Amino acid sequence: MKIGIIGCGAAGGTAAQFARKTNRNAEIVVYDKEGYGQYSKCALPFVIGGMDWQRIIEFPPEWFRKNGIEYRNEEIYRVDLENGIVEGEKEEEFDKLIIATGASPACPFEANNAYFLRTLDDALAIRKRAEEAKKVIIVGAGLIGMEVAEALIKAGKDVKILEYMPQILPGMLDKDIADYVMKKLNIDVILNCKVKRVDGGTVEGNDCYEADMSIIATGNKPNTFSGKAIEVNERCEAREGVYAAGDCTIIKDFFGRSIVVGLGSIAARQGKVAGSNAAGGDDAILPPILAKTTKLFGIEIASVGLLSKEIDGIAARYLGRDLPHYMGGEEILVKVVADKDGVIVGCQAVGRGAAKIIDRLAIAIYNKMNVKDMARIENAYAPSVAPTFDAIEIACSMIERKLK
Amino acid sequence: MKIGIIGCGAAGGTAAQFARKTNRNAEIVVYDKEGYGQYSKCALPFVIGGMDWQRIIEFPPEWFRKNGIEYRNEEIYRVDLENGIVEGEKEEEFDKLIIATGASPACPFEANNAYFLRTLDDALAIRKRAEEAKKVIIVGAGLIGMEVAEALIKAGKDVKILEYMPQILPGMLDKDIADYVMKKLNIDVILNCKVKRVDGGTVEGNDCYEADMSIIATGNKPNTFSGKAIEVNERCEAREGVYAAGDCTIIKDFFGRSIVVGLGSIAARQGKVAGSNAAGGDDAILPPILAKTTKLFGIEIASVGLLSKEIDGIAARYLGRDLPHYMGGEEILVKVVADKDGVIVGCQAVGRGAAKIIDRLAIAIYNKMNVKDMARIENAYAPSVAPTFDAIEIACSMIERKLK
């Protein structure tokens, strides 16, 4: 059996590994147009901030070769899905194909001489240019925009962020939670800013802004040969013998929506499944509940499931401390979102341990738990670790009372 | 309606609060033989370590009085459950009774002039005596013994711990995990030590040990008028009109075992339910899954559900790091325990965020999730916060493979 994998990101690289694990004899070829092997795209803001880029390489080309996977630093220009043929430097035929071509930056306005961040080369180019810059404008206050902003601020740059929406992190947080985060961060963000044109460091938005360089982080579009995201099922199958994984795919999430996920965690899980199945295994992903997290200036921010703005439900927000009063502790903000029957569908958290709170809520959402049970289930309590009744239980009790 | 509550710990104090919330007009009397109001028993090791004892008072006598609850610093000697009569300084009759009398230290050997820790007065007595002591022996390496040991070591004392079992924290951890913790802690513990007699600082165990004082932490026995733990249902009812909550009760846990729980988190939840129901409400606790945690010398330790030694199942242990390699991170050890069908029944964790990992597993256990789903569900991932596949997912995958 011969398996061809196009792309070597979290999806493609993981697919190669699991294809190998599942089938010791298959011939496996990975095409990586970048040439670095599998590295962590989520770590690119750290590279911009000065981290040695070699540290973020998780599986270098040699790793694949050592594990009997043919690694080719080659770009693929054409794919014939029906016949399993890919065309790079030459044409090659495969029994199974895995498309893991990722995504590319999307920009809704005219931009010249601006920087985008998607690849390691992009990050190195931004870092190089930023060395000579004092002022930087970032367009887009999503996860990538915010993380790059942090890296550059820490490197001593004067950073201004322009965001089209009336809040930061619009894909991850409700406005009330985003406003709380923004107050904590104390950074220069201009909201509701309609950027029309970017040329170098000159950005025409509501006003005209001048900097030494600009970075555009306004989202991505899937990289596919058809120009459209590839629809796959939970087995990561696009059609017989053809699998796809990662940011180039469109899948059904836990709430039944067909979406392009764009999360490394899901890309890796899809890669695992695509690789196993292509090699003769039988695996399936769980529909994504969309657990997301980041840490900005030491503040952990996380969310999972639906935001209030995405559902006509009931929400409760609770601002407390993560330890009993006599232990001090740190401020923790949680917001739980339930549907009209009290079934938990989403949660946002800001503060120490936010991501692990979200991991707990992901399990609750997956099991369709209601706020009544969640307000009663115990948490591990000790004064040095957690309060007797934690923020999640209190927020769920608040929703329970609203339901009555 | 007249409600009498005997005891003002996590169970009794919380019962009073929720009786008041549920019924604005009921006459509520709380009997507290100690006289401090509701304080955190779990914080007593910190008081031994030097914390101002007033800080751990959560609801002082005035708080109850201000909220229309009659607070009496009075000991009750006799209870007539059938007729709702309690006898302290005088006899008094109630429509509903809540028994929340807690527990007292139990000692399986002869002990004279030794210290026990259960009340604030006990903690203050230990602290006073320890001021003049250089060497301290602690008998019992359970949660209380270990936490007191930490407090005294930090206060500069030379502390030796003697434990009957072949491991520390025997009620909370399997031996393999306890051994890992012990290695990290680097404290003076003698395991398999059969103590026969204690007199002051002289302890006859396997050898004879000499210190300036000894503290015995070998467990508790329920404080009840009958001498036996009070059996209650999930509504915290012992018989019609009589409720009980906290360490004096025996209840069914999630696994169907009748147990005396002895956790502040469960005592408070039982108190909430007993108080609400006595006042005319209708509430029930969830059967305890037994989430436990502590932090010893900065190391977070937590567990939930069944230990390996308590079930003929399948377990997997995974020692990893809590961040991707390029971010450094800290060591994290997890052990997941499943039954023979792969349903998760327990988890132990040691390291940063252990308690929140356990809270997540408590939700999984409550929903009877199997290792297959748990190995596939996403976690909130970002390099600065968590790895793509975390320790729990890896441990669950290991069990999944063992099941095949």
Side-chain angles (χ1 to χ4, degrees):
Chain A
M1 185 195 288
K2 198 171 164 189
I3 303 170
I5 302 170
I6 309 172
C8 194
T14 308
Q17 293 170 43
F18 279 84
R20 178 79 302 153
K21 276 192 192 180
T22 305
N23 188 330
R24 289 276 120 207
N25 305 314
E27 190 181 332
I28 303 169
V29 179
V30 178
Y31 294 96
D32 178 15
K33 69 175 175 184
E34 295 187 51
Y36 295 108
Q38 186 182 342
Y39 63 84
S40 170
K41 281 205 167 28
C42 301
L44 293 177
F46 303 110
V47 172
I48 291 176
M51 183 184 276
D52 175 7
W53 65 266
Q54 302 204 46
R55 277 177 65 191
I56 74 162
I57 308 287
E58 299 179 292
F59 302 96
E62 307 82 76
W63 185 92
F64 290 96
R65 289 175 186 137
K66 253 185 258 169
N67 285 275
I69 295 163
E70 198 177 326
Y71 172 91
R72 295 195 199 156
N73 180 196
E74 201 173 305
E75 184 162 1
I76 298 301
Y77 301 100
R78 192 181 67 87
V79 176
D80 172 350
L81 297 179
E82 195 161 344
N83 300 302
I85 295 169
V86 303
E87 188 185 335
E89 288 169 17
K90 55 176 185 165
E91 267 195 13
E92 188 133 1
E93 197 181 328
F94 293 95
D95 301 306
K96 310 275 178 176
L97 279 182
I98 300 174
I99 317 289
T101 39
S104 294
C107 180
F109 45 78
E110 191 191 325
N112 295 302
N113 305 310
Y115 288 81
F116 293 88
L117 177 62
R118 179 73 200 183
T119 64
L120 181 47
D121 287 335
D122 292 342
L124 294 171
I126 290 172
R127 180 162 88 184
K128 188 147 181 264
R129 177 67 187 86
E131 274 168 18
E132 289 142 35
K134 281 178 75 173
K135 293 177 75 172
V136 182
I137 289 173
I138 295 173
V139 184
L143 272 174
I144 294 173
M146 294 301 288
E147 289 175 356
V148 171
E150 180 187 10
L152 291 173
I153 290 168
K154 284 186 171 170
K157 308 300 166 190
D158 175 359
V159 176
K160 185 187 287 297
I161 305 169
L162 309 179
E163 168 59 43
Y164 183 86
M165 301 292 284
Q167 64 166 96
I168 60 168
L169 299 171
M172 179 173 170
L173 300 176
D174 280 317
K175 187 174 180 333
D176 54 342
I177 307 298
D179 288 349
Y180 169 84
V181 171
M182 207 161 101
K183 215 176 277 175
K184 289 237 153 193
L185 293 183
N186 190 30
I187 52 177
D188 182 8
V189 184
I190 296 173
L191 299 172
N192 299 301
C193 181
K194 279 70 180 153
V195 169
K196 289 172 214 84
R197 203 187 328 266
V198 172
D199 192 355
T202 304
V203 179
E204 285 176 48
N206 298 0
D207 288 306
C208 187
Y209 306 98
E210 284 290 345
D212 301 311
M213 69 183 289
S214 60
I215 302 167
I216 298 172
T218 48
N220 296 302
K221 54 177 188 290
N223 283 337
T224 59
F225 301 96
S226 68
K228 289 187 306 185
I230 303 165
E231 205 171 323
V232 288
N233 61 20
E234 57 182 17
R235 296 188 76 250
C236 296
E237 265 172 336
R239 57 186 290 165
E240 213 197 313
V242 178
Y243 300 83
D247 294 2
C248 64
T249 65
I250 190 162
I251 56 174
K252 278 236 158 45
D253 74 2
F254 181 77
F255 307 99
R257 303 176 297 184
S258 287
I259 56 166
V260 174
V261 175
L263 291 172
S265 51
I266 301 302
R269 282 159 178 77
Q270 286 183 293
K272 191 175 162 181
V273 167
S276 302
N277 290 350
D282 180 21
D283 204 352
I285 64 157
L286 294 185
I289 313 175
L290 307 172
K292 298 169 191 177
T293 187
T294 187
K295 197 186 238 176
L296 297 172
F297 297 96
I299 301 170
E300 216 172 293
I301 306 161
S303 88
V304 62
L306 301 179
L307 304 172
S308 266
K309 60 188 174 191
E310 294 175 315
I311 183 175
D312 181 17
I314 304 159
R317 197 173 62 229
Y318 179 74
L319 180 67
R321 299 193 78 76
D322 70 346
L323 294 180
H325 69 278
Y326 53 87
M327 298 300 290
E330 294 183 11
E331 200 171 272
I332 180 93
L333 176 70
V334 303
K335 180 176 183 178
V336 175
V337 181
D339 69 14
K340 286 188 165 166
D341 298 321
V343 175
I344 300 169
V345 294
C347 182
Q348 296 156 66
V350 183
R352 183 165 59 181
K356 288 202 165 53
I357 291 174
I358 287 308
D359 289 344
R360 171 178 165 208
L361 269 289
I363 308 288
I365 293 170
Y366 175 76
N367 289 289
K368 300 186 176 171
M369 277 182 80
N370 59 42
V371 288
K372 194 178 169 204
D373 283 355
M374 203 66 187
R376 278 164 188 72
I377 206 160
E378 70 206 274
N379 60 305
Y381 156 65
S384 51
V385 183
T388 321
F389 295 100
D390 80 350
I392 289 295
E393 289 159 319
I394 296 170
C396 288
S397 294
M398 289 163 73
I399 296 178
E400 197 188 353
R401 282 196 297 276
K402 288 185 189 186
L403 279 166
K404 273 177 188 165
Chain B
M1 184 196 289
K2 199 172 164 187
I3 302 170
I5 301 169
I6 310 172
C8 194
T14 308
Q17 294 170 41
F18 279 83
R20 178 79 302 152
K21 275 192 192 179
T22 306
N23 187 330
R24 289 274 121 208
N25 305 312
E27 190 181 331
I28 303 169
V29 179
V30 178
Y31 294 97
D32 177 15
K33 69 174 176 184
E34 296 186 50
Y36 294 108
Q38 184 183 342
Y39 63 84
S40 169
K41 280 204 168 29
C42 301
L44 293 177
F46 302 110
V47 171
I48 291 175
M51 184 184 276
D52 175 7
W53 66 266
Q54 302 203 47
R55 277 176 64 191
I56 73 160
I57 308 288
E58 298 179 293
F59 302 95
E62 307 81 77
W63 185 92
F64 290 96
R65 291 178 184 133
K66 253 186 257 168
N67 285 274
I69 295 163
E70 198 177 327
Y71 172 91
R72 294 194 199 156
N73 180 196
E74 202 173 306
E75 185 163 359
I76 297 302
Y77 301 99
R78 192 182 67 88
V79 176
D80 173 350
L81 296 179
E82 195 161 344
N83 300 301
I85 293 168
V86 303
E87 190 185 334
E89 287 168 16
K90 55 174 184 166
E91 267 195 13
E92 188 133 2
E93 198 182 328
F94 293 94
D95 301 307
K96 310 276 179 175
L97 278 181
I98 300 174
I99 317 289
T101 40
S104 294
C107 182
F109 45 78
E110 192 190 325
N112 295 301
N113 305 311
Y115 288 81
F116 293 88
L117 177 62
R118 179 72 200 183
T119 64
L120 180 47
D121 287 338
D122 292 341
L124 294 171
I126 290 172
R127 180 161 89 184
K128 190 149 179 261
R129 177 68 188 84
E131 274 169 18
E132 288 142 34
K134 281 178 75 172
K135 293 177 75 172
V136 183
I137 289 173
I138 295 174
V139 184
L143 272 174
I144 294 173
M146 294 300 289
E147 289 175 357
V148 171
E150 180 187 11
L152 291 172
I153 290 168
K154 283 186 172 169
K157 308 299 165 191
D158 177 359
V159 176
K160 186 188 285 297
I161 306 171
L162 309 179
E163 167 58 42
Y164 183 87
M165 301 293 284
Q167 66 167 98
I168 60 168
L169 300 171
M172 180 172 169
L173 299 178
D174 280 317
K175 188 175 179 331
D176 55 341
I177 307 299
D179 288 348
Y180 170 83
V181 171
M182 209 162 99
K183 215 175 279 177
K184 289 236 152 193
L185 293 182
N186 190 28
I187 53 178
D188 182 8
V189 183
I190 296 175
L191 299 172
N192 299 302
C193 181
K194 278 71 177 154
V195 169
K196 290 172 213 85
R197 203 186 326 268
V198 173
D199 192 355
T202 304
V203 179
E204 287 175 46
N206 298 0
D207 288 304
C208 187
Y209 306 98
E210 285 290 345
D212 301 312
M213 68 183 290
S214 60
I215 302 167
I216 298 172
T218 48
N220 296 300
K221 54 176 190 290
N223 284 336
T224 60
F225 301 97
S226 68
K228 291 188 304 186
I230 303 164
E231 205 171 323
V232 289
N233 61 19
E234 58 181 17
R235 296 188 77 249
C236 296
E237 266 173 334
R239 56 185 290 164
E240 212 197 314
V242 178
Y243 300 82
D247 294 2
C248 64
T249 65
I250 190 162
I251 56 173
K252 277 237 160 46
D253 74 2
F254 181 77
F255 307 99
R257 304 176 297 184
S258 288
I259 55 166
V260 175
V261 176
L263 291 173
S265 51
I266 302 301
R269 281 159 178 78
Q270 285 183 293
K272 191 175 162 181
V273 167
S276 302
N277 290 350
D282 180 22
D283 205 352
I285 64 157
L286 294 185
I289 313 175
L290 307 172
K292 298 169 191 175
T293 186
T294 187
K295 196 187 237 176
L296 297 173
F297 296 94
I299 300 171
E300 217 172 294
I301 306 161
S303 87
V304 63
L306 301 179
L307 303 172
S308 265
K309 59 188 175 189
E310 294 174 317
I311 184 175
D312 180 18
I314 305 160
R317 197 174 62 228
Y318 180 74
L319 179 66
R321 298 193 77 77
D322 71 345
L323 294 180
H325 70 277
Y326 51 87
M327 298 301 288
E330 294 183 11
E331 200 172 90
I332 180 94
L333 176 70
V334 303
K335 180 176 182 177
V336 174
V337 182
D339 69 15
K340 286 188 166 166
D341 298 321
V343 175
I344 299 170
V345 294
C347 182
Q348 297 156 64
V350 183
R352 182 164 60 179
K356 287 202 164 56
I357 291 174
I358 287 307
D359 290 345
R360 171 179 166 207
L361 269 290
I363 307 289
I365 294 170
Y366 176 76
N367 288 292
K368 301 186 175 171
M369 276 182 81
N370 60 43
V371 288
K372 194 177 168 206
D373 283 356
M374 203 66 187
R376 279 165 187 71
I377 205 161
E378 69 204 274
N379 62 306
Y381 156 65
S384 51
V385 183
T388 322
F389 294 100
D390 80 351
I392 289 295
E393 289 159 317
I394 296 170
C396 288
S397 295
M398 289 164 73
I399 297 179
E400 197 188 353
R401 282 196 298 274
K402 288 184 190 187
L403 278 166
K404 272 177 192 167

